[in-house]
Amino acid sequence: MNSQEIWEAVLAEIKLNLSKANFLTWFKDTTLLEVKDEVAIISVPSNFVKEWLEKKYHKTILNLLNKLSPEIKNVQYVISSSKKPLLKTAQKVKTFLPSNDQMLIQTTINPETNLNLKYTFENFVVGSNNELAHAAALAVTENLGKKYNPLFIYGGVGLGKTHLLQAIGNKVNKENPKAVIRYASCEKFTEELVEAIRNQTMSSFKKKFRQLDLLLIDDVQFLAGKEKSQEELFHTFNNLYEKNKQIVFTSDRPPKAISSIEERLRSRFEGGMIADISYPDFETRLAILKTKTQIAGQDINEDILRYIAENIPKNVRELEGALNRIIAETHLKQAPLSLEETKKVLSSLLTKNNRYISAQEVIKKVASFYDLDEKLILSHSRKKELVKPRQVVMYLLREEFKYSFTNIAEKLGHRDHTTVIYACQKVSEEVGQDPVFSQEITLIKDLLYNK
Ligand code: ADP
Ligand code: MG
């Protein structure tokens, strides 16, 4: 047997003992690269999968491998290198790439700027709901620090704020590689600040943010109540502004509606251009679906896209979620879906809010997905393998079932509600950046709604 055959045999065996969801999450995109000095080298797609396999499946994998090929005495997991080199060269990549490479680039974060390369103006669909914000964002890239400073973009969840914000950064970076750019979510900014205070590295923190040509701060509503961060941002802002450096903010609400924020910072937010993004109309939704199918390299019937655009009249993130479901089903079936099949798949998404699912049930399903005891999720342990599933529970209760932060805090063993806010923010960020994790969430939702 060659490596590939051995690994296929191992996978076949593992599949028998795992749920489909678990199997796909942990074993999809794994391969046996080689056997070297009695060690089988397994390539895995992410660090998260690596840690999980090491912790949870190592013995099983080793036993199976050893049974098939007795020379194998140990297993080592390596993260597939296909993504890594792209990190450094990503900036040089042209817009047109074979779809495989393009898929990889979509998840590439530039470590210097924190920008995700998948967010560009080219793949941002302009409609009446976002025309103004789009035009202002473009104008900013053409007159950096001169025209609209600061630019403040606001709008509801999943409507494209982060996309536009990062598109500004990516365009400036592409056209002027020397420009010093930094994208930071408000949480990240706060986190780095706290870290700097703790490690007494404030001067380098200040320097880092004050030498920028373009500062992009996402979700400033999370500054509410964080005095130290507000103060630091205020000074950073003034410093950059005086030097004609560009600043762009986003928020889920207009500056006036952000409570517990210092007046002087609010007036800075209001001092430049304010543009909002609202819900897309049908035509825009359809155009977005077409763009996304193209990016995914998929060929999906127009009738089906129209059906999705008509029936998922919510935010763009949910629209994308529905499309991804259809794409996933198409892959499973290995043939295009009929309109009837599409309706069936989407009906679970559409009716989900009508069915009552208790917090208890969510905890139970997440626990079973991660092979954990429910009690551990409710515990206060800070172990990494517990923190993540716990955050997923919080995220689902918030995003899917619209629980209040305080309510979630209570349901999860009386925690501080800011922990919940942080968890929800963190998970939704990661979902946007890590395709493996995003798939996990989809699978958990499947468990919730379909079983
Ligand atoms: P927000 O930051 O407002 O919550 P995001 O920018 O994260 O929303 O957008 C959610 C998803 O929807 C992203 O995957 C983004 O690419 C996509 N999206 C939103 N608006 C558009 C648009 N006009 N064209 C293409 N994709 C969009
Ligand atoms: Mg966002």
Side-chain angles (χ1 to χ4, degrees):
M1 279 209 256
N2 64 26
S3 300
Q4 195 189 338
E5 287 163 346
I6 294 177
W7 192 237
E8 270 167 19
V10 170
L11 290 183
E13 190 84 13
I14 290 175
K15 214 174 187 170
L16 293 177
N17 297 307
L18 279 186
S19 71
K20 187 161 130 199
N22 257 326
F23 180 79
L24 280 177
T25 307
W26 306 118
F27 292 95
K28 200 180 138 254
D29 297 332
T30 58
T31 43
L32 171 56
L33 291 177
E34 59 172 340
V35 179
K36 206 170 135 192
D37 304 331
E38 306 188 330
V39 180
I41 317 279
I42 311 285
S43 141
V44 299
S46 70
N47 196 36
F48 188 46
V49 172
K50 175 172 182 273
E51 285 176 10
W52 202 265
L53 293 188
E54 282 168 349
K55 231 172 270 155
K56 286 249 165 189
Y57 296 108
H58 181 72
K59 252 195 214 140
T60 317
I61 294 172
L62 179 59
N63 286 343
L64 288 169
L65 280 169
N66 181 264
K67 215 166 71 189
L68 291 163
S69 171
E71 59 165 320
I72 297 175
K73 299 281 182 335
N74 207 346
V75 183
Q76 197 185 335
Y77 307 87
V78 297
I79 299 162
S80 134
S81 58
S82 55
K83 272 187 200 167
K84 279 196 185 147
L86 277 172
L87 272 177
K88 286 229 172 69
T89 52
Q91 289 176 24
K92 295 182 204 126
V93 175
K94 301 260 163 18
T95 353
F96 270 106
L97 292 145
S99 64
N100 259 352
D101 286 350
Q102 201 154 6
M103 294 300 277
L104 279 178
I105 290 196
Q106 288 191 1
T107 57
T108 304
I109 312 277
N110 179 323
E112 275 151 40
T113 60
N114 276 333
L115 288 167
N116 185 330
L117 292 162
K118 81 172 184 180
Y119 295 120
T120 62
F121 279 106
E122 286 76 18
N123 61 28
F124 187 83
V125 176
V126 185
S128 54
N129 64 314
N130 57 28
E131 231 173 346
L132 176 66
H134 175 262
L138 258 188
V140 158
T141 66
E142 282 152 17
N143 309 272
L144 212 57
K146 299 206 182 76
K147 191 144 187 190
Y148 301 129
N149 205 14
L151 170 62
F152 189 101
I153 300 172
Y154 76 89
V157 173
L159 294 179
K161 301 181 297 293
T162 298
H163 189 137
L164 259 189
L165 185 67
Q166 298 218 21
I168 295 175
N170 283 320
K171 184 159 189 273
V172 172
N173 188 25
K174 195 167 144 199
E175 288 168 3
N176 179 6
K178 285 210 191 100
V180 190
I181 304 168
R182 192 155 190 99
Y183 164 85
S185 66
C186 179
E187 291 288 344
K188 193 92 199 152
F189 182 82
T190 304
E191 220 173 77
E192 285 188 35
L193 175 65
V194 171
E195 194 78 350
I197 295 171
R198 187 185 306 140
N199 302 334
Q200 302 184 317
T201 50
M202 267 313 281
S203 62
S204 67
F205 174 89
K206 285 195 167 122
K207 204 168 137 210
K208 180 161 88 187
F209 281 95
R210 294 179 189 189
Q211 57 160 20
L212 297 173
D213 296 304
L214 171 60
L215 172 61
L216 307 162
I217 301 271
D218 211 353
D219 289 318
V220 289
Q221 74 273 10
F222 286 115
L223 275 180
K226 292 181 182 142
E227 280 155 35
K228 187 76 196 152
S229 303
Q230 289 186 24
E231 190 187 331
E232 192 50 44
L233 186 61
F234 177 76
H235 292 303
T236 306
F237 177 91
N238 288 344
N239 189 289
L240 292 175
Y241 186 80
E242 275 163 20
K243 294 185 288 193
N244 281 327
K245 303 301 185 185
Q246 180 73 45
I247 306 120
V248 188
F249 299 109
T250 75
S251 165
D252 68 352
R253 61 203 88 173
K256 274 199 177 36
I258 309 178
S259 59
S260 355
I261 194 164
E262 275 187 68
E263 208 39 55
R264 56 178 185 169
L265 190 54
R266 191 195 315 275
S267 75
R268 290 294 182 273
F269 290 162
E270 288 174 336
M273 163 87 172
I274 301 183
D276 75 320
I277 304 188
S278 56
Y279 285 79
D281 58 16
F282 172 77
E283 296 303 328
T284 312
R285 293 202 297 274
L286 185 61
I288 290 173
L289 288 172
K290 285 185 178 167
T291 310
K292 301 277 172 192
T293 28
Q294 221 172 20
I295 291 173
Q298 296 292 316
D299 189 13
I300 292 183
N301 195 314
E302 164 119 14
D303 285 352
I304 291 187
L305 296 183
R306 285 184 160 269
Y307 183 83
I308 303 174
E310 257 161 34
N311 289 281
I312 311 275
K314 296 198 193 154
N315 70 45
V316 183
R317 191 171 294 145
E318 291 186 22
L319 201 59
E320 257 189 319
L323 180 65
N324 288 340
R325 270 295 291 278
I326 299 300
I327 292 177
E329 293 290 333
T330 311
H331 277 286
L332 272 181
K333 194 184 159 203
Q334 299 190 332
L337 299 191
S338 67
L339 191 55
E340 279 315 304
E341 286 167 321
T342 305
K343 286 182 185 170
K344 220 163 124 196
V345 172
L346 292 190
S347 72
S348 67
L349 289 180
L350 293 168
T351 53
K352 69 181 186 191
N353 292 332
N354 302 335
R355 203 191 126 207
Y356 176 72
I357 298 179
S358 66
Q360 206 48 48
E361 223 172 321
V362 175
I363 296 169
K364 197 169 145 195
K365 289 284 159 65
V366 172
S368 96
F369 181 83
Y370 288 106
D371 285 334
L372 293 170
D373 191 325
E374 284 165 55
K375 284 199 205 82
L376 290 174
I377 291 203
L378 294 172
S379 77
H380 283 251
S381 157
R382 302 289 312 152
K383 277 195 190 140
K384 196 174 163 202
E385 64 266 32
L386 297 177
V387 171
K388 185 142 185 166
R390 193 179 294 137
Q391 290 180 332
V392 169
V393 171
M394 295 180 187
Y395 168 83
L396 289 171
L397 288 176
R398 177 71 190 169
E399 292 286 314
E400 296 291 303
F401 307 107
K402 315 294 174 208
Y403 278 64
S404 72
F405 291 126
T406 357
N407 198 355
I408 298 173
E410 226 163 76
K411 295 272 186 234
L412 275 138
H414 306 283
R415 278 156 222 280
D416 191 307
H417 80 283
T418 53
T419 313
V420 181
I421 297 179
Y422 173 76
C424 296
Q425 165 90 352
K426 182 148 195 284
V427 173
S428 60
E429 244 170 46
E430 256 176 66
V431 164
Q433 293 170 352
D434 180 352
V436 176
F437 185 50
S438 153
Q439 185 178 20
E440 262 175 59
I441 300 285
T442 310
L443 293 168
I444 295 172
K445 285 187 198 165
D446 276 359
L447 279 178
L448 278 171
Y449 297 123
N450 298 335
K451 277 166 205 144

